Amino acid sequence: MSLRDQRRQPPGFSDTDLASSASVDEEEDENGGSSSSNGSGASLPPAPAPRPAAEQARHWRDVFWLGVFVIHLLAFGVGFALLGINHFSRADRLNIDRFTNITGGGNSSQPPVAQPQQQQQQQQSGRVELTETYWPFYGVAGGAGALLAWAWLSLLGTHASQMMKVSVHGLTTYLAVISVLCFWTEHFLWGVAFAVGAALQFLYVMSVLDRFPFTMLVLQKAVKMVWNLPEVMRVAYVFVVIMLCWMALWSFGVSGVIASSMDDSGRWWLLVIFAVSLFWTGAVFCNTVHVIVSGMVFLVLMHGSRNAASMPPKPLLKSLRYAVTTSFGSICYGSLFTAAIRTLRWEIRGVRSKIGSNECLLCCVDFLFHLVETLVRFFNKYAYVEIAVNGKGFNPSARDAWELFQSTGIEALIAYDCSGAVLLMDIILGGMITGTCTGVWTWFKRSDKVIMVGSTAILIGMVLVGLAVVVVESAVTSIYVCYAEDPSLIQRWDAEFFDQMSEALHQRLQYRSARAREVINRQHDQLSDIPI
């Protein structure tokens, strides 16, 4: 073992434990899909120890994706403005609805010349809808989402454990209640969808119930870290305000779409496209906060405390400058794929663990599993810590983080932790509450538009609450990266927490060693039964 490997290897573990841990796939859910469970045992190339972000010369990374994101913002911003203005104060102000006969099946036989006459008749009968009809609904959605984000951050330091428990157990109940309400209002498809979601949430919680003590321990220490850094909390508040400004323009355009004269299929297609745009924008803002907070947490752990004499001057401003300039292209690139791959990995691992003796189905799922695991190597959330610390591109950062966890065996501990799933439950619950508040008011005003307005309001709430939750997720990822890079950093920060993590890692490596022996013995028995 090289000197670098000895420095990275956690104390109390042998090479046999690490080798056996890299030989077995972990068939259980985990916190964020950030690293592969089928380790390659690859060692990192020799490199100097990471320096604080302020000491490194930064270069612009992933500039192409930075340009794509900026062009996307400009194009969609203009589109939102035009669609909103088209039905603001007057129906079809810009005469855009003449194109609805192309997308709408019901209007295809009517010539475009007759459209203004039809709209005039609708206006006289009081059936023409305007942008401002739906603007108050999305104002409620933005206000409710911002209020939930503020409340979550405010209660973080005093009632963190209770909040996590409410998010875990309350989400199942909330999904079940929403399902009943959907059946009551005769929206059977949505009722079935929410009922299935409640059932899957309940099954997942029951399957990982034994991991919650360790998960709560990690989350509480992450909360302790960010609560002692009030400047990172203010960063989250600032980005919530910035996101609200973009959502004002977004909801203005969506209101114009709902008020347009196109048929429901055309509206839904536009809403899906706009939802993808909002999802990417929200993910970029969340991961920008992720990089800023990760840089701050890494510096605090490296220097021992926030007030250490060795801390560089104005570390928050430097982390912010790097995140919105040289590293912003990497953030835009990773935000486009990371969340989707993490979600896909959770689903595939859940299906894989439930397959019995159906070898054909297991073979197909295994192929998808290893394909996703390969993608995880290049798209994981721990890459943002490497971006914050070293200023590298997204793919090199993701690969280095993946190899770091594999070479040290920390991946076994990460696979056991469910902190990412718990935080995701917070985000979903926040979105559901926001959508419910908006949907109830919409029901009394425009009952036929509840689904359209409510579903988009859920997305607004999830994005805003996600901006608050990401500060804790950043602390969790930074703690794991620091523990894998140099365990003494965690020991110096919190010796008791270091002992608890080391004990948990030792138990996970022993579990994987036992599973490795079981798999080898089973394969040996199968080969011995085959006649020569």
Side-chain angles (χ1 to χ4, degrees), residues 365-484:
V365 174
D366 273 341
F367 172 77
L368 295 176
F369 176 78
H370 291 296
L371 178 62
V372 173
E373 292 295 288
T374 302
L375 294 176
V376 166
R377 178 173 182 175
F378 298 99
F379 298 99
N380 60 71
K381 66 179 181 180
Y382 296 91
Y384 298 110
V385 182
E386 296 285 344
I387 291 173
V389 176
N390 300 316
K392 296 181 291 186
F394 184 84
N395 281 343
S397 299
R399 183 178 62 250
D400 290 347
W402 188 86
E403 292 180 352
L404 174 64
F405 291 138
Q406 291 292 316
S407 62
T408 57
I410 307 300
E411 188 272 334
L413 196 60
I414 293 174
Y416 186 70
D417 180 22
C418 300
S419 58
V422 172
L423 294 176
L424 179 61
M425 295 174 195
D426 276 312
I427 296 174
I428 296 176
L429 183 60
M432 295 299 301
I433 295 175
T434 302
T436 303
C437 295
T438 309
V440 168
W441 190 22
T442 309
W443 171 261
F444 290 105
K445 299 294 184 178
R446 291 300 311 269
S447 59
D448 57 325
K449 303 295 184 182
V450 171
I451 298 300
M452 282 187 180
V453 176
S455 58
T456 49
I458 289 175
L459 183 59
I460 291 176
M462 290 178 62
V463 171
L464 292 174
V465 176
L467 282 168
V469 169
V470 74
V471 296
V472 178
E473 187 178 24
S474 302
V476 171
T477 55
S478 300
I479 287 172
Y480 277 120
V481 172
C482 288
Y483 185 72

Side-chain angles (χ1 to χ4, degrees), residues 261-295:
S261 62
M262 68 179 66
D263 65 343
D264 285 345
S265 62
R267 289 193 187 102
W268 276 112
W269 275 112
L270 280 178
L271 290 179
V272 168
I273 295 173
F274 291 168
V276 172
S277 171
L278 182 64
F279 176 81
W280 189 22
T281 306
V284 169
F285 283 13
C286 287
N287 291 326
T288 302
V289 178
H290 193 343
V291 170
I292 296 171
V293 177
S294 297

Side-chain angles (χ1 to χ4, degrees), residues 196-341:
V196 171
L200 293 177
Q201 166 70 8
F202 177 78
L203 293 176
Y204 175 76
V205 172
M206 291 297 101
S207 64
V208 299
L209 203 58
D210 59 319
R211 307 190 209 174
F212 280 145
F214 176 74
T215 298
M216 291 302 173
L217 171 66
V218 175
L219 288 174
Q220 287 173 357
K221 295 301 179 180
V223 169
K224 171 187 173 183
M225 170 64 71
V226 299
W227 196 252
N228 293 328
L229 298 172
E231 54 265 52
V232 303
M233 310 290 281
R234 290 192 290 267
V235 167
Y237 287 128
V238 170
F239 271 84
V240 167
V241 174
I242 296 174
M243 193 68 218
L244 276 174
C245 295
W246 175 255
M247 282 182 173
L249 180 59
W250 184 87
S251 58
F252 185 66
V254 169
S255 298
V257 170
I258 298 178
S260 65
S261 62
M262 68 179 66
D263 65 343
D264 285 345
S265 62
R267 289 193 187 102
W268 276 112
W269 275 112
L270 280 178
L271 290 179
V272 168
I273 295 173
F274 291 168
V276 172
S277 171
L278 182 64
F279 176 81
W280 189 22
T281 306
V284 169
F285 283 13
C286 287
N287 291 326
T288 302
V289 178
H290 193 343
V291 170
I292 296 171
V293 177
S294 297
M296 280 294 299
V297 172
F298 201 94
L299 284 176
V300 170
L301 292 176
M302 179 172 293
H303 293 276
S305 68
R306 174 65 180 85
N307 300 321
S310 57
M311 281 284 288
K314 300 180 179 179
L316 180 64
L317 292 179
K318 292 183 179 180
S319 296
L320 175 62
R321 187 178 76 244
Y322 292 140
V324 299
T325 55
T326 56
S327 299
F328 194 64
S330 300
I331 294 172
C332 297
Y333 175 46
S335 301
L336 190 60
F337 302 102
T338 305
I341 293 175

Side-chain angles (χ1 to χ4, degrees), residues 72 75 156 175 177 276 370 379 434 456 493 521:
H72 148 264
L156 194 61
L175 288 172
V177 171
V276 172
H370 291 296
F379 298 99
T434 302
T456 49
W493 173 60
N521 292 335

